Amino acid sequence: MRLLVDGHPSTYPERLADALVVPFEAAGRPAARVSVSDFLRPRSLRLERGREDPDSLLDDWIDVGSLNREVLTRVVDRREYLPSLRDPDTDRATRAGYLDAAPGTVVVLDGTLSIGRGLAVDIAVHLALRPATIHRRTPPDETWAVPAYEQYAREIEGMPDLVVRVDHPDHPALERP
């Protein structure tokens, strides 16, 4: 199984993804924990249209081909996966080696703006925010990205297998499909 936990950075999808590893392993399912941020395209390609281009953020940042090839399909076909490809801070290859994946391994992937991009996942969970909350939680130096998050919310409507409203982090609400 390949599970994606997606949400605005302020929803901390990586925390939920991390929290899912122990229950899967306790149930006898080994988990491979991977982050979309470790499979971003090189900075020169991501920023080709400028540093603050919302369309580029949506379309050009995630290296979908590498993530599918090196993790999501490889774990099924070859029972191994690459835990990371590129360091998002240094923009250099991590030189990580392949890790073995036991039969029944669950890939737990976290990311932002990742649903509907062609990732080979079986289950997609979206941590959703209302537009006003997105505006409020986006840092001032990243307000250029707000249009991308708003467009994304419209584009993926009905796509996630599970939507959790997290406008109030202490009171998450599961939306009915």
Side-chain angles (χ1 to χ4, degrees):
M1 181 172 65
R2 297 156 304 178
L3 169 73
L4 169 64
V5 180
D6 168 85
H8 184 273
S10 71
T11 66
Y12 302 104
E14 69 278 4
R15 290 182 186 171
L16 178 56
D18 289 343
L20 292 171
V21 170
V22 171
F24 278 125
E25 290 179 344
R29 299 288 302 266
R33 188 60 189 87
V34 180
S35 291
V36 168
S37 63
D38 292 327
F39 286 85
L40 296 179
R41 296 174 72 211
R43 190 173 288 135
S44 61
L45 297 175
R46 289 193 320 259
L47 305 180
E48 201 167 37
R49 295 190 260 174
R51 291 191 177 277
E52 298 182 350
D53 185 85
D55 293 329
S56 176
L57 178 61
L58 278 172
D59 302 329
D60 299 336
W61 281 45
I62 301 171
D63 190 343
V64 173
S66 292
L67 194 48
N68 279 335
R69 181 179 61 252
E70 304 298 344
V71 179
L72 299 171
T73 57
R74 191 176 197 106
V75 77
V76 173
D77 296 341
R78 294 187 169 181
R79 291 196 179 144
E80 66 179 10
Y81 68 98
L82 192 65
S84 63
L85 179 66
R86 184 175 308 284
D87 183 302
D89 297 322
T90 65
D91 196 43
R92 296 194 183 273
T94 60
R95 301 187 190 277
Y98 289 100
L99 299 177
D100 291 331
T105 294
V106 177
V107 175
V108 182
L109 179 66
D110 76 88
T112 298
L113 304 171
S114 304
I115 295 172
R117 302 291 170 235
L119 294 175
V121 297
D122 302 306
I123 298 174
V125 177
H126 180 61
L127 304 176
L129 298 172
R130 288 180 172 73
T133 308
I134 291 173
H135 282 272
R136 193 170 53 252
R137 290 193 189 168
T138 301
D141 62 329
E142 295 177 17
T143 56
W144 63 269
V146 168
Y149 291 112
E150 292 174 336
Q151 178 181 337
Y152 177 71
R154 289 187 303 273
E155 285 179 1
I156 68 162
E157 194 169 325
M159 284 185 185
D161 299 292
L162 188 65
V163 176
V164 181
R165 283 257 164 231
V166 289
D167 292 286
H168 302 286
D170 296 336
H171 304 286
L174 183 61
E175 281 192 359
R176 297 191 188 267

